[in-house]
Amino acid sequence: MYSVIVVPPGCGSVDDQVRIATGERLSFGRAVSDGGLTIAHEGVPRIAGEITAHRSFWLLSNLSEDQTYVVENPEGAGEHVKVVPGRVDAPVPFEFSRVVLPAAGELLAFDVWAPQHTFRSAARHLLAGAATAPAFALDRTKRYFAVLAALCEPRLRGEPHAPLPTVEQLMERLRPAWPTVSRSAVYWNIDYLTLKLRLRPGPDTAEPGQRVSGKKESLVSLALRFDLVREGDLVVLDAAPSGAPR
């Protein structure tokens, strides 16, 4: 039974995909032997690397002499793994991955899927004692969460390096669900979030605009790193607000 699917560049059908089972290896490069993944580009080494399937994840070996490879998580809002030249069997935990190879001024990519991920219930079965306190107590019905979602939206939409929205852009995005939104309300909610998530505000000596920008960057970084906001949460930006305002 295969555990990893490799999708070559420009793959047009399921028949072009390569399936490998646990323990099997797939070489890729400009001049690999039969059965490998050929990437016909002069900037790709003849034997560029190797993929090894291992149950619910896979390993990447970078066999180039001087190029770092990047494995991106397309669903991870910028999450990625760097594999330096000569590194062998670097584990890649993403269910959906994009391997990016620098090649003579271009960036070439192919996908690797590991669809056999398994999960177990995290429910407390017959365990005595108090429940664990939540790491981040966020109420998704409050307006502060809508502000956080609007801050995260550009990077959640598949643009991991997108600039963060300005306060004016936040107001425009929030207005369908919050018609009376104002600049002061947005600033207030940003300040509230930095306190609620225990993030320190910018230095008192910085200019106000710089302080707000620093707070926004810290909030988005924390939220995306720990999945406090997911793409599915963006519906709060289009729905009527509920619950007490924040």
Side-chain angles (χ1 to χ4, degrees):
M1 173 71 177
Y2 69 87
S3 64
V4 168
I5 302 172
V6 179
V7 184
C11 179
S13 70
V14 174
D15 294 336
D16 296 330
Q17 298 174 357
V18 181
R19 289 165 167 75
I20 55 177
T22 294
E24 293 182 346
R25 297 174 178 267
L26 176 71
S27 297
F28 61 89
R30 188 176 79 247
V32 294
S33 58
D34 291 344
L37 174 61
T38 300
I39 303 176
H41 191 289
E42 62 180 6
V44 175
R46 286 169 293 178
I47 305 297
E50 190 175 66
I51 291 169
T52 305
H54 188 81
R55 300 179 66 181
S56 62
F57 66 98
W58 55 282
L59 309 170
L60 175 63
S61 295
N62 181 349
L63 304 182
S64 74
E65 296 182 356
D66 55 8
Q67 296 290 353
T68 293
Y69 300 160
V70 175
V71 184
E72 299 175 342
N73 177 4
E75 298 186 328
E79 186 179 20
H80 66 277
V81 172
K82 294 195 295 185
V83 183
V84 298
R87 173 67 194 274
V88 176
D89 291 341
V92 179
F94 310 140
E95 185 171 352
F96 301 101
S97 305
R98 179 170 296 122
V99 182
V100 182
L101 312 176
E106 296 186 56
L107 295 178
L108 308 179
F110 62 89
D111 294 340
V112 180
W113 303 340
Q116 303 300 322
H117 277 205
T118 56
F119 301 88
R120 61 167 292 178
S121 172
R124 292 166 55 90
H125 296 292
L126 304 177
L127 296 179
T132 303
F136 305 100
L138 293 175
D139 186 340
R140 284 166 167 73
T141 68
K142 305 297 185 183
R143 281 178 172 160
Y144 68 71
F145 186 80
V147 172
L148 184 59
L151 278 170
C152 296
E153 183 178 33
R155 297 183 184 180
L156 280 172
R157 294 293 192 191
E159 300 180 44
H161 307 296
L164 297 182
T166 64
V167 172
E168 288 72 19
Q169 290 171 329
L170 289 172
M171 292 169 57
E172 188 67 23
R173 186 66 183 94
L174 291 163
R175 192 163 282 119
W178 185 1
T180 60
V181 64
S182 65
R183 288 176 59 89
S184 60
V186 172
Y187 281 124
W188 188 93
N189 278 277
I190 290 173
D191 284 338
Y192 180 80
L193 282 163
T194 61
L195 292 174
K196 188 172 184 64
L197 297 178
R198 296 178 176 83
L199 295 173
R200 293 181 180 179
D204 293 336
T205 55
E207 297 179 5
Q210 293 175 323
R211 288 206 300 270
V212 171
S213 296
K215 292 175 186 177
K216 291 193 298 183
E217 187 65 51
S218 296
L219 286 169
V220 171
S221 176
L222 179 73
L224 296 182
R225 184 179 303 167
F226 292 100
D227 287 339
L228 306 186
V229 181
R230 300 173 183 267
E231 191 168 355
D233 292 319
L234 298 180
V235 296
V236 302
L237 300 175
D238 302 312
S242 60
R246 269 293 181 195

